[in-house]
Short mmCIF file of all heavy atoms in Angstrom, two decimals:
data_model
loop_
_atom_site.label_atom_id
_atom_site.label_comp_id
_atom_site.label_asym_id
_atom_site.label_seq_id
_atom_site.Cartn_x
_atom_site.Cartn_y
_atom_site.Cartn_z
N LEU A 212 0.83 -1.21 0.00
CA LEU A 212 0.00 0.00 0.00
C LEU A 212 0.86 1.26 0.00
O LEU A 212 0.53 2.25 -0.68
CB LEU A 212 -0.94 0.00 1.21
CG LEU A 212 -2.08 -1.04 1.16
CD1 LEU A 212 -2.85 -1.05 2.48
CD2 LEU A 212 -3.03 -0.74 0.00
N THR A 213 1.95 1.24 0.76
CA THR A 213 2.83 2.42 0.76
C THR A 213 3.50 2.60 -0.60
O THR A 213 3.72 3.73 -1.05
CB THR A 213 3.90 2.31 1.86
OG1 THR A 213 4.64 1.09 1.69
CG2 THR A 213 3.28 2.34 3.25
N GLN A 214 3.82 1.46 -1.26
CA GLN A 214 4.41 1.56 -2.60
C GLN A 214 3.41 2.17 -3.59
O GLN A 214 3.76 3.03 -4.40
CB GLN A 214 4.84 0.18 -3.08
CG GLN A 214 5.53 0.19 -4.45
CD GLN A 214 6.82 1.00 -4.43
OE1 GLN A 214 7.70 0.75 -3.60
NE2 GLN A 214 6.92 1.98 -5.34
N ARG A 215 2.13 1.73 -3.47
CA ARG A 215 1.10 2.28 -4.36
C ARG A 215 0.90 3.76 -4.06
O ARG A 215 0.75 4.58 -4.98
CB ARG A 215 -0.21 1.51 -4.19
CG ARG A 215 -1.37 2.14 -4.97
CD ARG A 215 -2.54 1.21 -5.12
NE ARG A 215 -3.68 1.89 -5.70
CZ ARG A 215 -3.77 2.24 -6.97
NH1 ARG A 215 -2.78 1.96 -7.81
NH2 ARG A 215 -4.84 2.86 -7.42
N MET A 216 0.91 4.08 -2.75
CA MET A 216 0.75 5.48 -2.39
C MET A 216 1.88 6.31 -2.95
O MET A 216 1.67 7.43 -3.45
CB MET A 216 0.69 5.61 -0.86
CG MET A 216 0.37 7.01 -0.38
SD MET A 216 -1.28 7.52 -0.90
CE MET A 216 -1.37 9.14 -0.14
N GLU A 217 3.09 5.78 -2.93
CA GLU A 217 4.23 6.53 -3.48
C GLU A 217 4.10 6.68 -4.99
O GLU A 217 4.44 7.73 -5.55
CB GLU A 217 5.55 5.82 -3.13
CG GLU A 217 6.76 6.65 -3.51
CD GLU A 217 8.04 6.11 -2.89
OE1 GLU A 217 7.98 5.11 -2.15
OE2 GLU A 217 9.10 6.69 -3.17
N ASP A 218 3.58 5.63 -5.66
CA ASP A 218 3.36 5.74 -7.10
C ASP A 218 2.34 6.83 -7.42
O ASP A 218 2.50 7.60 -8.39
CB ASP A 218 2.88 4.40 -7.67
CG ASP A 218 3.97 3.35 -7.66
OD1 ASP A 218 5.15 3.73 -7.56
OD2 ASP A 218 3.63 2.15 -7.78
N LEU A 219 1.27 6.89 -6.62
CA LEU A 219 0.26 7.94 -6.82
C LEU A 219 0.86 9.32 -6.61
O LEU A 219 0.58 10.26 -7.37
CB LEU A 219 -0.91 7.72 -5.85
CG LEU A 219 -1.82 6.51 -6.14
CD1 LEU A 219 -2.81 6.31 -4.99
CD2 LEU A 219 -2.58 6.71 -7.45
N ILE A 220 1.68 9.46 -5.60
CA ILE A 220 2.31 10.76 -5.32
C ILE A 220 3.26 11.14 -6.45
O ILE A 220 3.31 12.30 -6.89
CB ILE A 220 3.03 10.74 -3.96
CG1 ILE A 220 2.00 10.64 -2.82
CG2 ILE A 220 3.91 11.97 -3.80
CD1 ILE A 220 2.61 10.40 -1.46
N ASP A 221 3.99 10.15 -6.99
CA ASP A 221 4.89 10.42 -8.12
C ASP A 221 4.10 10.90 -9.34
O ASP A 221 4.54 11.82 -10.05
CB ASP A 221 5.69 9.16 -8.49
CG ASP A 221 6.82 8.89 -7.49
OD1 ASP A 221 7.23 9.85 -6.80
OD2 ASP A 221 7.27 7.73 -7.42
N SER A 222 2.94 10.26 -9.54
CA SER A 222 2.10 10.68 -10.67
C SER A 222 1.59 12.11 -10.46
O SER A 222 1.54 12.93 -11.39
CB SER A 222 0.91 9.74 -10.83
OG SER A 222 1.35 8.45 -11.18
N LEU A 223 1.19 12.42 -9.22
CA LEU A 223 0.72 13.77 -8.90
C LEU A 223 1.84 14.78 -9.09
O LEU A 223 1.64 15.87 -9.62
CB LEU A 223 0.19 13.80 -7.47
CG LEU A 223 -0.46 15.12 -7.01
CD1 LEU A 223 -1.65 15.46 -7.89
CD2 LEU A 223 -0.88 15.05 -5.55
N LEU A 224 3.05 14.41 -8.65
CA LEU A 224 4.20 15.29 -8.86
C LEU A 224 4.46 15.52 -10.34
O LEU A 224 4.73 16.64 -10.78
CB LEU A 224 5.45 14.67 -8.22
CG LEU A 224 5.71 14.98 -6.74
CD1 LEU A 224 6.85 14.12 -6.22
CD2 LEU A 224 6.03 16.44 -6.56
N ARG A 225 4.37 14.46 -11.11
CA ARG A 225 4.59 14.57 -12.55
C ARG A 225 3.54 15.48 -13.18
O ARG A 225 3.86 16.33 -14.02
CB ARG A 225 4.52 13.17 -13.17
CG ARG A 225 4.54 13.14 -14.69
CD ARG A 225 5.89 13.53 -15.22
NE ARG A 225 5.89 13.57 -16.67
CZ ARG A 225 6.32 14.58 -17.39
NH1 ARG A 225 6.80 15.66 -16.79
NH2 ARG A 225 6.30 14.54 -18.70
N PHE A 226 2.28 15.31 -12.77
CA PHE A 226 1.19 16.11 -13.32
C PHE A 226 1.37 17.59 -12.98
O PHE A 226 1.20 18.47 -13.83
CB PHE A 226 -0.15 15.60 -12.78
CG PHE A 226 -1.35 16.32 -13.33
CD1 PHE A 226 -1.75 16.12 -14.64
CD2 PHE A 226 -2.07 17.21 -12.54
CE1 PHE A 226 -2.85 16.78 -15.16
CE2 PHE A 226 -3.16 17.88 -13.06
CZ PHE A 226 -3.56 17.66 -14.37
N SER A 227 1.72 17.89 -11.73
CA SER A 227 1.89 19.29 -11.32
C SER A 227 3.10 19.92 -11.99
O SER A 227 3.11 21.10 -12.32
CB SER A 227 2.01 19.40 -9.80
OG SER A 227 3.22 18.79 -9.36
N ARG A 228 4.14 19.10 -12.21
CA ARG A 228 5.35 19.62 -12.84
C ARG A 228 5.10 20.03 -14.29
O ARG A 228 5.74 20.94 -14.81
CB ARG A 228 6.46 18.56 -12.75
CG ARG A 228 7.85 19.12 -12.97
CD ARG A 228 8.91 18.07 -12.73
NE ARG A 228 9.01 17.72 -11.32
CZ ARG A 228 8.84 16.50 -10.84
NH1 ARG A 228 8.53 15.50 -11.66
NH2 ARG A 228 8.96 16.27 -9.56
N LEU A 229 4.14 19.34 -14.96
CA LEU A 229 3.82 19.69 -16.35
C LEU A 229 3.37 21.14 -16.48
O LEU A 229 3.63 21.80 -17.49
CB LEU A 229 2.70 18.78 -16.88
CG LEU A 229 3.09 17.37 -17.30
CD1 LEU A 229 1.85 16.58 -17.67
CD2 LEU A 229 4.05 17.42 -18.48
N GLY A 230 2.67 21.66 -15.47
CA GLY A 230 2.19 23.03 -15.53
C GLY A 230 3.26 24.06 -15.27
O GLY A 230 3.08 25.24 -15.56
N ARG A 231 4.41 23.65 -14.73
CA ARG A 231 5.46 24.60 -14.37
C ARG A 231 6.66 24.54 -15.29
O ARG A 231 7.51 25.42 -15.27
CB ARG A 231 5.90 24.34 -12.93
CG ARG A 231 4.83 24.71 -11.91
CD ARG A 231 5.27 24.49 -10.48
NE ARG A 231 5.29 23.06 -10.13
CZ ARG A 231 6.40 22.34 -9.96
NH1 ARG A 231 7.57 22.90 -10.12
NH2 ARG A 231 6.32 21.07 -9.63
N VAL A 232 6.73 23.52 -16.12
CA VAL A 232 7.88 23.37 -17.02
C VAL A 232 7.51 23.94 -18.39
O VAL A 232 6.48 23.60 -18.96
CB VAL A 232 8.28 21.88 -17.15
CG1 VAL A 232 9.41 21.72 -18.16
CG2 VAL A 232 8.68 21.33 -15.80
N ASP A 233 8.36 24.83 -18.90
CA ASP A 233 8.11 25.42 -20.22
C ASP A 233 8.27 24.37 -21.31
O ASP A 233 9.13 23.48 -21.23
CB ASP A 233 9.08 26.57 -20.48
CG ASP A 233 8.80 27.77 -19.60
OD1 ASP A 233 7.65 27.93 -19.17
OD2 ASP A 233 9.75 28.54 -19.34
N LEU A 234 7.45 24.50 -22.35
CA LEU A 234 7.56 23.61 -23.50
C LEU A 234 8.76 24.00 -24.35
O LEU A 234 9.01 25.19 -24.58
CB LEU A 234 6.30 23.68 -24.36
CG LEU A 234 4.99 23.15 -23.74
CD1 LEU A 234 3.83 23.43 -24.68
CD2 LEU A 234 5.10 21.66 -23.46
N LEU A 235 9.49 23.02 -24.81
CA LEU A 235 10.60 23.26 -25.74
C LEU A 235 10.09 22.88 -27.13
O LEU A 235 10.22 21.74 -27.57
CB LEU A 235 11.82 22.42 -25.34
CG LEU A 235 13.07 22.60 -26.22
CD1 LEU A 235 13.53 24.05 -26.20
CD2 LEU A 235 14.19 21.67 -25.75
N LEU A 236 9.48 23.85 -27.80
CA LEU A 236 8.83 23.58 -29.07
C LEU A 236 9.83 23.65 -30.22
O LEU A 236 10.53 24.65 -30.39
CB LEU A 236 7.69 24.58 -29.30
CG LEU A 236 6.55 24.52 -28.28
CD1 LEU A 236 5.55 25.63 -28.53
CD2 LEU A 236 5.85 23.16 -28.32
N GLN A 237 9.86 22.58 -31.02
CA GLN A 237 10.75 22.51 -32.17
C GLN A 237 10.06 21.70 -33.27
O GLN A 237 9.04 21.05 -33.05
CB GLN A 237 12.07 21.81 -31.80
CG GLN A 237 12.92 22.54 -30.77
CD GLN A 237 14.13 21.71 -30.37
OE1 GLN A 237 13.99 20.53 -30.03
NE2 GLN A 237 15.29 22.32 -30.43
N GLN A 238 10.66 21.74 -34.46
CA GLN A 238 10.20 20.85 -35.53
C GLN A 238 10.79 19.47 -35.25
O GLN A 238 12.01 19.30 -35.28
CB GLN A 238 10.64 21.38 -36.89
CG GLN A 238 9.95 22.67 -37.29
CD GLN A 238 10.28 23.09 -38.71
OE1 GLN A 238 10.70 22.27 -39.52
NE2 GLN A 238 10.09 24.36 -39.01
N ILE A 239 9.91 18.51 -35.00
CA ILE A 239 10.34 17.18 -34.54
C ILE A 239 9.89 16.12 -35.54
O ILE A 239 8.73 16.09 -35.95
CB ILE A 239 9.77 16.87 -33.13
CG1 ILE A 239 10.23 17.92 -32.12
CG2 ILE A 239 10.15 15.46 -32.70
CD1 ILE A 239 11.73 17.97 -31.90
N ASP A 240 10.83 15.23 -35.87
CA ASP A 240 10.51 14.06 -36.68
C ASP A 240 9.97 12.98 -35.75
O ASP A 240 10.72 12.37 -34.97
CB ASP A 240 11.76 13.57 -37.41
CG ASP A 240 11.45 12.42 -38.37
OD1 ASP A 240 10.34 11.84 -38.28
OD2 ASP A 240 12.33 12.08 -39.18
N LEU A 241 8.66 12.74 -35.79
CA LEU A 241 8.03 11.81 -34.86
C LEU A 241 8.41 10.36 -35.12
O LEU A 241 8.20 9.50 -34.24
CB LEU A 241 6.51 11.97 -34.92
CG LEU A 241 5.95 13.26 -34.29
CD1 LEU A 241 4.44 13.25 -34.32
CD2 LEU A 241 6.43 13.42 -32.85
N ASN A 242 8.97 10.04 -36.26
CA ASN A 242 9.42 8.67 -36.51
C ASN A 242 10.55 8.30 -35.55
O ASN A 242 10.61 7.19 -35.03
CB ASN A 242 9.90 8.52 -37.96
CG ASN A 242 8.76 8.74 -38.94
OD1 ASN A 242 7.85 7.93 -39.04
ND2 ASN A 242 8.82 9.87 -39.64
N ILE A 243 11.45 9.28 -35.30
CA ILE A 243 12.56 9.04 -34.36
C ILE A 243 12.02 8.89 -32.95
O ILE A 243 12.43 7.99 -32.18
CB ILE A 243 13.58 10.20 -34.44
CG1 ILE A 243 14.17 10.27 -35.85
CG2 ILE A 243 14.66 10.04 -33.40
CD1 ILE A 243 15.06 11.48 -36.08
N VAL A 244 11.08 9.78 -32.57
CA VAL A 244 10.49 9.73 -31.23
C VAL A 244 9.80 8.39 -31.01
O VAL A 244 9.98 7.72 -29.97
CB VAL A 244 9.49 10.89 -31.05
CG1 VAL A 244 8.72 10.75 -29.73
CG2 VAL A 244 10.20 12.23 -31.11
N LEU A 245 8.99 7.97 -32.00
CA LEU A 245 8.23 6.73 -31.86
C LEU A 245 9.16 5.52 -31.76
O LEU A 245 8.90 4.59 -30.98
CB LEU A 245 7.28 6.58 -33.04
CG LEU A 245 6.34 5.37 -33.01
CD1 LEU A 245 5.46 5.39 -31.76
CD2 LEU A 245 5.48 5.32 -34.26
N GLN A 246 10.24 5.51 -32.52
CA GLN A 246 11.16 4.38 -32.47
C GLN A 246 11.79 4.23 -31.10
O GLN A 246 11.95 3.11 -30.58
CB GLN A 246 12.25 4.56 -33.54
CG GLN A 246 13.12 3.33 -33.73
CD GLN A 246 12.33 2.07 -34.06
OE1 GLN A 246 11.54 2.07 -35.00
NE2 GLN A 246 12.50 1.01 -33.26
N ARG A 247 12.15 5.38 -30.47
CA ARG A 247 12.73 5.33 -29.12
C ARG A 247 11.73 4.79 -28.11
O ARG A 247 12.10 4.01 -27.22
CB ARG A 247 13.19 6.73 -28.70
CG ARG A 247 14.44 7.20 -29.46
CD ARG A 247 14.81 8.61 -29.07
NE ARG A 247 16.00 9.07 -29.77
CZ ARG A 247 16.47 10.31 -29.77
NH1 ARG A 247 15.78 11.25 -29.10
NH2 ARG A 247 17.56 10.63 -30.42
N ILE A 248 10.48 5.18 -28.24
CA ILE A 248 9.45 4.69 -27.32
C ILE A 248 9.27 3.18 -27.50
O ILE A 248 9.17 2.43 -26.50
CB ILE A 248 8.11 5.43 -27.57
CG1 ILE A 248 8.25 6.93 -27.28
CG2 ILE A 248 7.00 4.82 -26.74
CD1 ILE A 248 8.67 7.25 -25.88
N LEU A 249 9.25 2.73 -28.74
CA LEU A 249 9.08 1.29 -28.98
C LEU A 249 10.28 0.51 -28.47
O LEU A 249 10.12 -0.63 -27.98
CB LEU A 249 8.87 1.04 -30.47
CG LEU A 249 7.55 1.58 -31.06
CD1 LEU A 249 7.50 1.33 -32.56
CD2 LEU A 249 6.35 0.94 -30.37
N ASP A 250 11.48 1.10 -28.55
CA ASP A 250 12.67 0.44 -28.00
C ASP A 250 12.53 0.28 -26.49
O ASP A 250 12.87 -0.78 -25.93
CB ASP A 250 13.93 1.25 -28.33
CG ASP A 250 14.30 1.16 -29.80
OD1 ASP A 250 13.79 0.25 -30.49
OD2 ASP A 250 15.08 2.02 -30.27
N LEU A 251 12.03 1.32 -25.81
CA LEU A 251 11.86 1.26 -24.36
C LEU A 251 10.79 0.24 -23.95
O LEU A 251 10.87 -0.37 -22.88
CB LEU A 251 11.48 2.64 -23.82
CG LEU A 251 12.57 3.71 -23.86
CD1 LEU A 251 12.01 5.07 -23.46
CD2 LEU A 251 13.72 3.33 -22.93
N LEU A 252 9.79 0.07 -24.82
CA LEU A 252 8.69 -0.86 -24.51
C LEU A 252 8.91 -2.24 -25.12
O LEU A 252 8.01 -3.08 -25.07
CB LEU A 252 7.37 -0.28 -25.04
CG LEU A 252 6.89 1.04 -24.43
CD1 LEU A 252 5.63 1.52 -25.13
CD2 LEU A 252 6.63 0.87 -22.93
N SER A 253 10.09 -2.47 -25.69
CA SER A 253 10.33 -3.72 -26.43
C SER A 253 10.13 -4.96 -25.57
O SER A 253 9.60 -5.98 -26.03
CB SER A 253 11.72 -3.71 -27.04
OG SER A 253 12.70 -3.57 -26.03
N ALA A 254 10.57 -4.92 -24.30
CA ALA A 254 10.44 -6.09 -23.42
C ALA A 254 8.97 -6.45 -23.22
O ALA A 254 8.57 -7.62 -23.31
CB ALA A 254 11.11 -5.81 -22.08
N ARG A 255 8.14 -5.42 -22.93
CA ARG A 255 6.72 -5.67 -22.72
C ARG A 255 6.06 -6.15 -24.02
O ARG A 255 5.19 -7.03 -24.00
CB ARG A 255 6.03 -4.40 -22.23
CG ARG A 255 4.53 -4.58 -21.99
CD ARG A 255 3.89 -3.38 -21.34
NE ARG A 255 4.41 -3.17 -20.00
CZ ARG A 255 3.96 -2.24 -19.14
NH1 ARG A 255 2.98 -1.46 -19.52
NH2 ARG A 255 4.49 -2.11 -17.95
N ILE A 256 6.46 -5.58 -25.15
CA ILE A 256 5.89 -5.98 -26.44
C ILE A 256 6.21 -7.46 -26.71
O ILE A 256 5.36 -8.24 -27.13
CB ILE A 256 6.43 -5.09 -27.57
CG1 ILE A 256 5.90 -3.65 -27.40
CG2 ILE A 256 6.04 -5.64 -28.95
CD1 ILE A 256 6.54 -2.64 -28.33
N GLU A 257 7.46 -7.82 -26.43
CA GLU A 257 7.89 -9.20 -26.68
C GLU A 257 7.17 -10.15 -25.73
O GLU A 257 6.75 -11.24 -26.11
CB GLU A 257 9.41 -9.29 -26.50
CG GLU A 257 9.97 -10.65 -26.87
CD GLU A 257 11.48 -10.68 -26.77
OE1 GLU A 257 12.10 -9.60 -26.75
OE2 GLU A 257 12.03 -11.78 -26.72
#
């Protein structure tokens, strides 16, 4: 339960931080972004 509570607090921290961090807007090739995400999720996909 304490681990779940800590996960919830981490999510809340992440959500609140989104409102305070400036966006770094650039022209982005989403193919590169998507490939990195799929690499990180490769274990779960497999």
Side-chain angles (χ1 to χ4, degrees):
L212 290 174
T213 56
Q214 182 63 53
R215 173 164 172 74
M216 186 64 178
E217 188 167 358
D218 290 341
L219 290 172
I220 292 171
D221 284 338
S222 296
L223 185 60
L224 273 172
R225 172 70 183 129
F226 183 72
S227 67
R228 198 174 291 121
L229 282 175
R231 291 182 286 108
V232 176
D233 291 334
L234 294 174
L235 182 59
L236 297 175
Q237 296 175 310
Q238 292 187 20
I239 301 297
D240 184 347
L241 288 184
N242 296 291
I243 298 173
V244 172
L245 184 59
Q246 189 56 54
R247 289 177 179 171
I248 297 301
L249 293 177
D250 288 343
L251 290 173
L252 296 176
S253 59
R255 179 173 295 185
I256 292 171
E257 186 176 342

